[in-house]
Amino acid sequence: MKTRAFIAGCSGHELTPDEVAFFKEADPWGFILFRRNVDSPEQVRALCASLREAVGREDAPILIDQEGGRVQRMGPPHWPKYPSGSTYGALHANDPLVQRELARLGARLIAHDLRSVGVTVDCLPVLDVPSPGAHDVIGDRAYGRTPEKVAVLGRAAAEGLMAGGVLPVVKHIPGHGRAGADSHLALPVVEASREELERHDFAPFRMMTDMPLAMTAHVVYTAIDPDRPATTSPTVIRDIIRGHIGYDGLLMTDDLSMKALSGSFREKTEAAFAAGCDMALHCNGHMEEMAEVAEASPILEGEALRRAQAALARIRHEPEPLDPVDARARLDAALAMIA
């Protein structure tokens, strides 16, 4: 059985017999969980074990979007709420070192929650820098309004995750903050000059090229490729993501079921790999769509395999010591100051 270069979702709290059979046959590199997959710690832990058993790999990565704020798949009553990225940027505004420490602490606590149930990858940090007039799909998910603040707090969050044995995914490379539309629903077209994009939008990613995993933006940048979004643009991936930014980690697509991308699932998947993506991501758990993505996804080999192996090698198997009760109390005390 050879692993294919895609990440799949599933439909509910436990795998159906059809899902087990499909995952055994298709052998995706990893899986992603959403709120529909989350009930209790015991249930999530069992689901993660079932997913890994289906592909016969104990190290199969399991992803989740656990940012805090409005993007948090695991929440009360079993897990605490976490603040949005912008909240960290507002804490102790005159002391960037304190902001950095709190962003790291929040991510370290998130990693503790995730690792305890078997999740090993978090789609965090958001490195997008919002621009005036942009759609609020990023909005308060961003750590700040400047590339420097976003990069500093994004790195702090990434370090907190890795200290807890969870890999970060930087997103949405090369930048979604200027988009005037929500790419879940439509294709955003950004008309800024390349000079402005490099100065503002691309800058945080260029400061974090050492991260193991990155997720693309379903965004058209007319100054670079007026015809295709970054996910399916060889020009954007070659010249900007691998070139100007200098990112050499594993590059996954954003969700292929988002409305920003057109065509069949086979066409979207093939276009993403032809453009230079290493990994396809399909999230909604619909079997017919997953089957198309699986058929169009190549065997994981070559440079993509090297990047995938390098990413997994960075998982810390003995997390940094943490007293979660004390850490949560420190975070809550800081948050109370701006409540």
Side-chain angles (χ1 to χ4, degrees):
M1 189 165 57
K2 293 186 176 182
T3 300
R4 290 195 173 273
F6 78 105
I7 297 164
C10 57
S11 60
H13 290 165
E14 58 186 34
L15 295 184
T16 67
D18 285 347
E19 287 172 335
V20 171
F22 172 74
F23 293 145
K24 283 184 177 179
E25 175 66 25
D27 195 13
W29 181 64
F31 303 94
I32 187 165
L33 304 184
F34 280 79
R35 192 164 294 173
R36 67 178 181 273
N37 307 121
V38 172
D39 180 28
S40 68
E42 296 77 14
Q43 171 268 322
V44 176
R45 197 174 296 118
L47 177 58
C48 289
S50 297
L51 289 165
R52 292 187 169 109
E53 182 181 3
V55 295
R57 285 180 283 113
E58 292 185 0
D59 66 345
I62 296 179
L63 293 70
I64 199 166
D65 289 293
Q66 191 78 346
E67 299 175 13
R70 55 193 162 107
V71 180
Q72 181 171 338
R73 313 306 186 198
M74 292 165 44
H78 298 292
W79 299 276
K81 287 184 177 180
Y82 287 93
S84 63
S86 66
T87 301
Y88 293 108
L91 292 168
H92 294 273
N94 61 341
D95 194 338
L97 292 178
V98 173
Q99 291 179 340
R100 188 187 185 289
E101 179 56 31
L102 291 170
R104 187 186 190 279
L105 181 63
R108 178 64 186 87
L109 282 162
I110 287 174
H112 174 77
D113 296 344
L114 300 184
R115 272 295 291 260
S116 71
V117 295
V119 176
T120 52
V121 181
D122 191 6
C123 298
L124 182 77
V126 176
L127 296 187
D128 306 309
V129 187
S131 294
H135 192 282
D136 66 359
V137 64
I138 300 300
D140 65 357
R141 297 165 66 190
Y143 292 103
R145 298 281 167 168
T146 67
E148 294 76 19
K149 174 169 274 191
V150 167
V152 167
L153 298 187
R155 179 169 293 280
E159 289 174 355
L161 290 175
M162 289 191 286
V166 172
L167 293 179
V169 180
V170 296
K171 63 184 185 184
H172 305 82
I173 196 168
H176 203 303
R178 196 181 294 271
D182 180 351
S183 54
H184 294 88
L185 306 173
L187 176 61
V189 176
V190 167
E191 297 181 337
S193 69
R194 177 164 174 167
E195 179 182 15
E196 176 63 12
L197 291 167
E198 290 181 358
R199 184 192 67 79
H200 189 265
D201 304 59
F202 303 165
F205 297 97
R206 202 173 186 195
M207 298 179 210
M208 292 187 64
T209 56
D210 57 324
M211 292 294 107
L213 303 162
M215 179 184 293
T216 62
H218 295 333
V219 175
V220 169
Y221 309 92
T222 59
I224 300 158
D225 184 342
D227 300 318
R228 288 166 292 196
T231 304
T232 58
S233 170
T235 305
V236 173
I237 292 177
R238 180 189 65 244
D239 294 353
I240 302 301
I241 296 176
R242 301 299 192 193
H244 169 76
I245 290 172
Y247 184 71
D248 189 42
L250 185 136
L251 183 65
M252 69 181 72
T253 72
D254 202 347
D255 182 12
L256 293 176
S257 63
M258 291 163 64
K259 303 303 183 186
L261 302 182
S262 58
S264 68
F265 280 91
R266 172 178 287 279
E267 290 168 340
K268 291 187 281 191
T269 305
E270 289 176 344
F273 284 111
C277 290
D278 297 311
M279 191 75 57
L281 174 66
H282 181 270
C283 296
N284 66 25
H286 295 174
M287 183 62 73
E288 289 185 4
E289 295 177 11
M290 283 197 296
E292 275 195 69
V293 172
E295 290 173 5
S297 296
I299 298 299
L300 184 59
E301 58 187 1
E303 282 292 282
L305 175 60
R306 177 188 67 78
R307 291 169 177 141
Q309 291 174 332
L312 293 184
R314 294 182 66 181
I315 293 179
R316 184 170 177 165
H317 296 290
E318 292 293 333
E320 176 186 275
L322 177 77
D323 179 339
V325 174
D326 175 71
R328 185 72 209 192
R330 284 189 284 138
L331 182 61
D332 287 344
L335 293 172
M337 296 178 67
I338 63 167

